[in-house]
Amino acid sequence: MSWAAHELESYVIQKHTKLKISYLAILLGCLLPDLFTKLPVYGLHIGNLTFLKANFPAKYHRGWPGVGPTHSLLFGALVALTLLAVTKNRAWALGLLAGQWAHVLTDTFDSVGTMLFFPFSTQHYSTGMWAYAAQAGRYGDAAAYYSSFGGVWDFFWLCMALTGYKVFRRDFFFGTVMPNDPAWGWLRRRFGLSDRALLAAYRAWFIYGGSRIFAWFLWARVLNPARGSQFLDWSWRGPSWVQRVEFPARDWGNFAQSTVVGLVGLALALAVIWLTAGRRMWLRAG
Amino acid sequence: MAGPSSQQGGDRDDLPLYLVAVVALVIGGALVRTFLLNWISGPVFVVAVVGGLGALRDRRRARREAASDAAPTATTAAGTSGVGG
């Protein structure tokens, strides 16, 4: 999976959209697929005991049966529609949709990928740039990710976020981000936040996301007791020292069929959702 | 339209605070890992460092300014009595 990329995507999306959109909703969307699903992937560790760990983490996390549907495009559309119905806020609904779709698409870069068109197809879409390694536990996963193209991927998103540095400026936050989202005013009042703290809260996921790339890389390459065997491997599909998990299609014919069925199914579903409920809610919202 | 309620913490002025947060996160994160490097603790840490250190710095500046405002009055009084004598 992508690590820091999911924190950094939100700023890149913000920079490239001309629509009125909530940054907080984009961030929530970027985090949503893993928000309540990640615990069983690594398990809960208390001392030497492990609880709640899935038997097959990759299948649980991205597959079906499992919580793989949280990493589908239709899931994002349905959650965004629900949010639109509850909040009557277009900026929030759009932001959440954009963030969730960004997460789903960037997770296609590891070897397990995502079921983009679930429930119309359970085909996994993956470029296989780096090996999915969550089955190795949190530290094994971190070592694998930051010793492979995964870390390069995170660094790419850091650079992408930095090219849009204007979105981090104080005038952008107070002039564009805050007026687009009443949640910032609520945060200021509820927690008595100063301008400095509010601005820091907006920038916080960028600072955290960018810093953790270097923190985990430092750990993987300098402090990791297994760094000798868990070496740096920037080859495609690497690192070679981790057990690679994938869900390939049976053959190209099966892949093509699943893709056509998935695409048509998703397009029809989105059209039905829009025509029966979405359009009415959109027009009623502000 | 919402705007800043004060001019405290300009971008350049607060840059050292962010640098402290980054260095602390990178080094501290490599050492304690999950305790600091998670999507709740990490951002909260950033806000605490920037907001907390920034508030401390503002208070120290205000005290220094108050002290330097008081000092010229004492100097002026001494100078005047010297001139008169």
Side-chain angles (χ1 to χ4, degrees):
Chain A
M1 60 208 115
S2 302
W3 284 49
H6 294 322
E7 278 95 34
L8 302 169
E9 286 156 1
S10 48
Y11 298 96
V12 177
I13 293 168
Q14 174 126 265
K15 190 223 168 195
H16 289 284
T17 181
K18 299 277 182 274
L19 301 166
K20 184 181 170 189
I21 199 164
S22 159
Y23 161 73
L24 285 172
I26 298 172
L27 178 67
L28 179 63
C30 286
L31 300 175
L32 184 67
D34 288 344
L35 210 52
F36 304 109
T37 62
K38 223 29 190 314
L39 180 63
V41 174
Y42 295 135
L44 179 64
H45 300 275
I46 300 172
N48 287 331
L49 299 172
T50 304
F51 303 95
L52 298 173
K53 187 168 168 144
N55 289 331
F56 191 176
K59 179 116 187 172
Y60 164 79
H61 186 209
R62 301 278 188 82
W64 180 258
V67 295
T70 58
H71 287 69
S72 67
L73 297 173
L74 184 62
F75 176 78
L78 290 172
V79 176
L81 185 76
T82 307
L83 195 64
L84 183 65
V86 169
T87 64
K88 295 185 177 49
N89 188 311
R90 291 179 187 177
W92 263 80
L94 269 181
L96 188 127
L97 182 68
Q100 197 271 354
W101 280 18
H103 183 125
V104 166
L105 292 170
T106 51
D107 271 357
T108 61
F109 282 82
D110 66 27
S111 62
V112 165
T114 56
M115 299 184 297
L116 292 178
F117 304 123
F118 185 90
F120 309 105
S121 164
T122 54
Q123 174 67 49
H124 285 247
Y125 293 87
S126 156
T127 66
M129 194 191 285
W130 66 85
Y132 179 100
Q135 68 281 359
R138 186 184 300 277
Y139 292 104
D141 195 9
Y145 189 78
Y146 286 104
S147 302
S148 69
F149 259 142
V152 176
W153 179 245
D154 271 4
F155 189 71
F156 165 76
W157 278 99
L158 178 63
C159 296
M160 285 288 289
L162 286 170
T163 61
Y165 66 91
K166 286 181 184 153
V167 303
F168 299 112
R169 290 169 58 132
R170 147 182 287 264
D171 52 358
F172 185 86
F173 174 70
F174 286 109
T176 303
V177 175
M178 201 164 162
N180 276 352
D181 192 344
W184 290 107
W186 177 84
L187 279 170
R188 192 210 282 268
R189 289 185 303 271
R190 177 74 177 81
F191 296 101
L193 295 177
S194 62
D195 289 345
R196 176 187 283 120
L198 210 59
L199 187 54
Y202 167 65
R203 292 166 171 166
W205 272 271
F206 170 73
I207 302 292
Y208 159 63
S211 299
R212 79 164 173 157
I213 295 172
F214 298 98
W216 276 117
F217 186 80
L218 189 63
W219 173 80
R221 303 269 46 89
V222 175
L223 302 173
N224 176 15
R227 62 189 177 278
S229 55
Q230 294 175 349
F231 49 85
L232 199 61
D233 179 6
W234 283 346
S235 60
W236 193 271
R237 296 164 54 87
S240 55
W241 47 263
V242 81
Q243 181 204 7
R244 192 179 164 79
V245 182
E246 357 184 60
F247 296 111
R250 280 202 303 273
D251 50 52
W252 280 108
N254 189 258
F255 179 82
Q257 185 188 331
S258 297
T259 302
V260 169
V261 168
L263 266 171
V264 170
L266 177 67
L268 283 174
L270 292 177
V272 165
I273 289 169
W274 175 252
L275 291 170
T276 55
R279 194 161 147 263
R280 189 173 10 105
M281 288 183 204
W282 182 263
L283 292 170
R284 269 203 228 139
Chain B
M1 180 187 290
S5 56
S6 70
Q7 286 306 307
Q8 60 152 218
D11 280 347
R12 282 223 180 109
D13 209 31
D14 284 350
L15 185 58
L17 304 175
Y18 285 96
L19 287 175
V20 168
V22 167
V23 171
L25 264 177
V26 172
I27 296 175
L31 293 171
V32 301
R33 299 177 296 281
T34 319
F35 180 74
L36 194 54
L37 299 181
N38 66 72
W39 64 277
I40 297 175
S41 304
V44 167
F45 179 81
V46 172
V47 177
V49 166
V50 173
L53 287 182
L56 269 169
R57 187 189 63 189
D58 288 347
R59 234 175 277 154
R60 284 186 66 188
R61 266 189 198 159
R63 268 194 234 125
R64 248 187 278 134
E65 273 161 26
S68 66
D69 282 347
T73 312
T75 315
T76 308
T80 306
S81 65
V83 164

